[in-house]
């Protein structure tokens, strides 16, 4: 099939790396020059709302998918009128606006932190009454990697954050979570669903640094709750493709934070830690193949390479460390690649992760961990 991907970053690159062996050809619509996916297919170098580029995609592709959620709604609608756009544009609409997303969770009976819209200074008091303090104030749109949000401890602080972030905000209760988890799931065009194990995620400066899968200490019941909530979201959106739900684990409960209607950084470990990766399952799902239930040979971890490259030969020389580079120019805060770690048991994965982590420039000493679930 001819697959068009809106976006040509590392997610597009890894989608093509998984989809080419399945016999597909890729075209990327990507405004920035020389993107990470550039070696893997044709690149249409144009803005996401360029009518000429969208018309060419409509002619040159059998199916359209995307690797980020901020695709203009009008572009998705233009394409969806002409050929399948999967995941469906409704998934973009539901996830581009954090308020719409939280309301969808509420409608579906999925627990979240208490939240309230903040559209005007007059609404701030009601919002803080609903959330309590401390609260997190977030922009409703275009926030990513921790940008466009701030934790506030008083009404005065909230007012100044509101003034600086501008209109169109959302306030949420600050959740004193034990850890952050995510679940990656796939649903096929025929409705078949598969799930990866809950993954434990560690961020610094709003950027994912490390993931562990399966998240240690997760009961089958908690996994079932996560699968149920991701499944409910996929059914609501009549979804096809891979989706990730970011969750907080707080006092044994899962609270949903956000949905990514695409392959997700917390699923990168599946390239080496599962026999079918999230990228292959996304391509399978959007091209009409059933997603494959993933099997894991053992635990896995993923460490992101952020801002600066390590000695890549030294990383690659470590048994059980699998290097993935995105062909990007280093810049502070930029995701340049990741290292997946496999091993027979948690102790082996922990030992290898420690060795790799020590080679990553700019990371503090000591692997990030939840005290109750430290690396062995
Ligand atoms: P988000 O952009 O919503 O994914 O948030 C980025 C990060 O901010 C999350 O991964 C959490 O670490 C933190 N965060 C977001 N919302 C909350 C909240 N309500 N309570 C505590 N931490 C939060």
């Amino acid at each position: 099939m001819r697959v068009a991907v809106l976006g040509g970053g590392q997610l597009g690159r890894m989608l093509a790396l998984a989809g080419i062996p399945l016999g597909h050809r890729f075209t990327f619509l990507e405004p920035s020059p020389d993107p990470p996916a550039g070696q893997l297919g044709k690149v249409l170098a144009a803005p996401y709302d360029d009518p000429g580029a969208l018309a060419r995609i409509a002619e040159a592709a059998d199916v359209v998918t995307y690797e980020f959620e901020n695709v203009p709604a009008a572009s998705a609608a233009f394409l969806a009128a002409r050929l399948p756009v999967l995941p469906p544009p409704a998934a973009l609409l539901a996830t581009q606006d954090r308020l719409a997303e939280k309301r969808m969770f509420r409608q579906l009976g999925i627990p979240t932190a208490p939240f309230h819209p903040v559209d005007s200074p007059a609404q701030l008091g009601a919002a803080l009454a609903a959330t309590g303090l401390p609260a997190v104030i977030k922009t409703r749109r275009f926030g990513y990697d921790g940008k466009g949000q701030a934790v506030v401890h008083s009404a005065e602080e909230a007012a100044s954050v509101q003034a600086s972030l501008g209109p169109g905000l959302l306030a949420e209760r600050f959740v004193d979570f034990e850890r952050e988890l995510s679940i990656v799931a796939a649903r096929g065009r025929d409705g078949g669903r598969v799930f990866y194990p809950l993954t434990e995620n560690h961020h610094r400066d709003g950027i994912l640094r490390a993931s562990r899968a399966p998240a240690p200490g997760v009961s089958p019941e908690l996994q079932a709750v996560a699968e149920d909530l991701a499944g409910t979201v996929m059914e609501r959106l009549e979804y096809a493709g891979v989706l990730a739900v970011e969750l907080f684990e707080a006092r044994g409960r899962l609270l949903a934070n956000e949905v990514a209607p695409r392959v997700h950084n917390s699923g990168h470990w599946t390239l080496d830690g599962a026999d079918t990766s999230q990228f292959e399952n996304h391509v399978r799902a959007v091209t009409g193949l059933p997603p494959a239930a993933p099997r894991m040979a053992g635990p896995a971890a993923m460490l992101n390479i952020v801002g600066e490259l390590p000695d890549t030969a030294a990383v690659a020389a470590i048994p059980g460390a699998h290097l993935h580079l995105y062909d990007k120019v280093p810049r502070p805060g930029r995701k340049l690649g990741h290292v997946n770690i496999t091993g027979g048991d948690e102790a082996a994965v922990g030992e290898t992760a420690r060795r790799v982590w020590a080679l990553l420039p700019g990371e503090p000493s000591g692997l990030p961990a939840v005290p109750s679930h430290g690396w062995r």
Side-chain angles (χ1 to χ4, degrees), residues 98 138 149 172-175 177 180 246 257-258:
R98 291 179 194 273
K138 303 178 175 181
Q149 61 175 275
E172 280 172 31
R173 177 174 297 166
F174 178 83
V175 180
F177 53 76
E180 295 190 69
E246 298 179 17
N257 179 38
E258 99 178 319

